[in-house]
Amino acid sequence: MKIRTITTGVTFKSPEDFDKIKPLAEFNRKAKTFFEENGYEVQTTRIATNPCQEYLQVATGAELPGLIRKVDETCRGLQVSFFNIGYAGTPEAIEILPEIIRNTSVISCSGKIGDLESGIDSENLRASAKAIKRISEGTQNGEGNFRFCAWCNCKPGIPFFPAAYHGGETSFSIGLECSDLAMRAFSGSKNLLEAEQNLRSHVETELRKVQDIAQEVSVEFNIRFRGIDASLAPSLDKDESLAFAYEKLGIGKFGQPGTLAISTLITGVLKSLSVKTCGYSGLMLPVCEDFGLAQRASERTFGLTDLLLYSAVCGCGLDVVPLPGDISVEKIEAILLDMAKLAITLDKPLSARLLPAPGKKAGEMTEFHSPYLVDCAIFDVT
């Protein structure tokens, strides 16, 4: 198990607060060292802010990309892996995000398309669909959409990007890469009951260790510990693939009958842990971040509709899903609408990180250059 991210959240009131980035980066560095001294590999450190409109309202649309570009340069100089400016909550604000993504390398952001209290915001949904299309056309291989998502019903405190945003006092949270725990638990299980018991034991044991260290960090540096996102975030390593972990239980290939049942089992474990959790804390199925998921998707054992089905019982939504480059805004909008309806009907936090691949058609392979993504056959959305 690895620490995928130490994410520190902060509330800004104006661009003048960007001076806080340096001490936040220093805290992240010290926290990273603390975990490393206790035997953990820490892959990234990140900073997330409150919704960008709350502190960038003084900037005009023309000024904003340049202002955020300076933040991007500052973060790269301070070795901050990713910086999330929070979500945009109006069509006008969402419209600016593709330009920000195009001109930065570590900035992430999102569009809010609804919540339980207000329902679906159709204008924001449409604007987010347009943003996904524009980002795909304006960045190499469409990879800029790795740093943008549209979400519904997500709360502050998610450590995973790009849905992360902050609220309240400065705090930090932990996101894990721990699909290997599922592999270990399921490899030694004879049936689903035993698989559930083994997974619970493995996850509880490992997360308590992480929690103890995080609480020490909190006391040492006087920064609130918000919790651990217990999501089983997967690995690019095929030996730690979440999809292949499923298959240790004898269901056949991921996506075949039984997949939904195992997804429900995993989610049930993650939602009933005794440690302090935050964020999604559910099952993540990011297609292009898991070797096995990408391979099974390329074999067409599951598709977009299946992922929506699994989202009914798991945690994240539609994550790093490769789509045809010529997909229409209307089709993207329809995909987002399905996800948002599911999030509100079931009162779940769901997000969509969709990756239209310019010049590519359904069934063709992506050609990513990102170290965070594995290539996959593009989904058919007809």
Side-chain angles (χ1 to χ4, degrees):
M1 189 186 73
K2 304 176 181 67
I3 307 296
R4 171 73 66 86
T5 176
I6 299 171
T7 299
T8 301
V10 63
T11 298
F12 287 162
K13 295 181 179 179
S14 74
E16 294 179 0
D17 286 338
F18 289 153
D19 289 342
K20 296 179 181 179
I21 294 175
K22 185 174 182 179
L24 291 170
E26 179 65 12
F27 163 74
N28 279 353
R29 186 189 65 78
K30 291 178 179 178
K32 178 176 184 287
T33 299
F34 210 101
F35 273 97
E36 289 172 340
E37 289 174 346
N38 281 275
Y40 288 94
E41 176 185 334
V42 179
Q43 296 175 323
T44 67
T45 61
R46 312 178 187 187
I47 297 171
T49 72
N50 49 314
C52 54
Q53 289 167 265
E54 294 180 5
Y55 60 90
L56 294 175
Q57 66 271 25
V58 297
T60 66
E63 295 172 330
L64 193 53
L67 190 64
I68 300 302
R69 192 159 52 245
K70 291 181 180 178
V71 173
D72 187 76
E73 294 169 357
T74 298
C75 289
R76 284 188 281 115
L78 294 170
Q79 297 183 317
V80 175
S81 306
F82 294 103
F83 186 97
N84 201 313
I85 61 173
Y87 69 81
T90 66
E92 295 78 15
I94 294 171
E95 186 178 351
I96 299 169
L97 300 182
E99 185 69 10
I100 290 174
I101 292 292
R102 190 176 68 84
N103 287 287
T104 60
S105 60
V106 302
I107 300 297
S108 291
C109 51
S110 62
K112 177 183 177 180
I113 61 175
D115 57 34
L116 189 64
E117 293 72 29
S118 305
I120 295 173
D121 188 316
S122 59
E123 292 186 359
N124 281 0
L125 191 149
R126 176 74 174 180
S128 295
K130 289 180 178 179
I132 290 168
K133 183 70 171 177
R134 285 179 55 203
I135 292 169
S136 74
E137 295 169 341
T139 59
Q140 185 181 29
N141 296 320
E143 289 176 33
N145 274 306
F146 182 74
R147 295 184 281 124
F148 174 80
C149 76
W151 59 258
C152 184
N153 216 31
C154 291
K155 306 299 183 185
I158 295 173
F160 292 108
F161 283 25
Y165 69 97
H166 183 68
E169 64 179 303
T170 299
S171 61
F172 74 98
S173 56
I174 304 295
L176 305 174
E177 181 179 297
C178 55
S179 56
D180 61 314
L181 298 183
M183 181 66 79
R184 284 162 49 193
F186 294 169
S187 294
S189 300
K190 298 182 180 66
N191 52 53
L192 289 186
L193 178 59
E194 192 172 321
E196 180 178 5
Q197 293 170 341
N198 287 341
L199 182 63
R200 187 182 307 279
S201 176
H202 284 309
V203 174
E204 281 275 6
T205 298
E206 295 302 327
L207 266 62
R208 281 198 199 105
K209 296 175 185 176
V210 173
Q211 178 175 262
D212 288 345
I213 298 169
Q215 288 172 336
E216 290 183 47
V217 170
S218 177
V219 172
E220 177 74 18
F221 301 106
N222 194 31
I223 293 183
R224 176 191 167 204
F225 169 51
R226 193 158 195 154
I228 302 170
D229 192 320
S231 299
L232 287 183
S235 168
L236 296 179
D237 186 340
K238 66 180 180 180
D239 293 328
E240 297 179 359
S241 163
L242 190 55
F244 292 164
Y246 273 63
E247 295 172 12
K248 293 294 183 180
L249 293 174
I251 64 163
K253 293 183 177 181
F254 181 95
Q256 294 177 339
T259 301
L260 182 68
I262 297 173
S263 299
T264 306
L265 179 157
I266 293 171
T267 301
V269 169
L270 300 179
K271 292 297 184 184
S272 60
L273 298 172
S274 63
V275 298
K276 185 176 184 180
T277 59
C278 65
Y280 295 111
S281 287
L283 172 63
M284 283 186 171
L285 298 173
V287 178
C288 291
E289 287 185 329
D290 182 287
F291 182 91
L293 286 173
Q295 182 170 318
R296 297 300 180 237
S298 298
E299 295 170 359
R300 299 190 177 184
T301 63
F302 69 97
L304 190 67
T305 300
D306 299 298
L307 287 175
L308 280 169
L309 175 64
Y310 305 149
S311 294
V313 297
C314 68
C316 188
L318 301 172
D319 201 15
V320 283
V321 178
L323 301 176
D326 63 355
I327 188 171
S328 67
V329 170
E330 290 75 18
K331 184 69 74 172
I332 296 173
E333 188 176 3
I335 293 170
L336 296 182
L337 180 61
D338 277 348
M339 184 207 70
K341 281 291 186 182
L342 197 59
I344 289 175
T345 301
L346 300 177
D347 189 14
K348 296 171 64 67
L350 297 177
S351 56
R353 190 162 41 157
L354 307 177
L355 305 178
K360 297 284 187 179
K361 298 179 180 179
E364 295 182 339
M365 294 296 292
T366 59
E367 296 182 64
F368 294 128
H369 292 90
S370 169
Y372 303 107
L373 297 171
V374 60
D375 284 318
C376 176
I378 294 167
F379 280 48
D380 187 350
V381 293
T382 57

